[in-house]
């Protein structure tokens, strides 16, 4: 609901008429449809999970703390929130499940960072548990 994007994915047997209908519906709902072909993770999750995984790896390697990583992506790349804040918002368990699925289909470049696995095993799932890359109260 917060994102203007609707990723419209063409399946193997999807007709042009169906794509046009879905795009028109998305536009009527105030969304921006963007077409792509079917593939693991489509486009958005494929790119997002790679970025989140690399942010976690950057944290694990001690290159920068969570605040610096997120700040650099917000200020330097004009992202509305940093990748670690976003991971906490989505749920670290959800990120891990997505990365595992991508790893299974697309190989090593999507192998989940060990720190992400550790956090999920510890029950640090982000906002929903009060602890992830950041600590949340209330």
């Amino acid at each position: 609901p917060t994102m203007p994007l609707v990723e419209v994915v063409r399946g193997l047997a999807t007709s042009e008429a169906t794509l046009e209908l879905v795009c028109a519906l998305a536009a009527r709902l105030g969304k921006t449809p963007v077409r792509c072909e079917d593939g693991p993770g489509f486009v958005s999750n494929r790119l997002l999970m790679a970025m989140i995984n690399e942010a976690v790896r950057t944290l694990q390697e001690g290159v920068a703390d969570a605040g610096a990583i997120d700040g650099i992506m917000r200020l330097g790349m004009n992202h509305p929130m940093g990748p670690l804040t976003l991971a906490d918002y989505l749920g670290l368990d959800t990120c891990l499940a997505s990365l595992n699925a991508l790893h299974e289909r697309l190989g090593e470049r999507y192998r989940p960072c060990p720190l992400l696995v550790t956090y999920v095993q510890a029950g640090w799932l982000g906002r929903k548990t009060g602890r992830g890359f950041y600590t949340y109260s209330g």
Side-chain angles (χ1 to χ4, degrees), residues 95-106:
C95 294
L96 180 59
S98 294
L99 281 164
N100 281 331
L102 289 165
H103 178 239
E104 183 179 308
R105 299 281 306 279
L106 297 172

Side-chain angles (χ1 to χ4, degrees), residues 43-98:
V43 175
S44 56
N45 279 337
R46 195 168 174 161
L47 297 176
L48 177 62
M49 288 304 129
M51 179 183 66
I52 287 173
N53 203 38
E54 192 58 32
V56 178
R57 185 171 286 109
T58 300
L59 178 67
Q60 178 180 299
E61 292 173 356
V63 176
D65 66 21
I69 292 166
D70 280 349
I72 287 166
M73 293 305 289
R74 276 191 340 270
L75 299 170
M77 304 302 153
N78 203 28
H79 290 205
M81 70 177 75
L84 300 175
T85 298
L86 181 55
D88 275 358
Y89 178 79
L90 295 172
L92 303 189
D93 53 335
T94 301
C95 294
L96 180 59
S98 294

Side-chain angles (χ1 to χ4, degrees), residues 59 84 87-89 91-93 115-116 118-138:
L59 178 67
L84 300 175
D88 275 358
Y89 178 79
L92 303 189
D93 53 335
L115 183 60
L116 178 61
T118 299
Y119 277 25
V120 171
Q121 288 173 343
W124 295 3
L125 307 181
R127 286 189 166 275
K128 61 185 163 187
T129 61
R131 178 79 192 255
F133 296 108
Y134 299 95
T135 302
Y136 304 90
S137 61

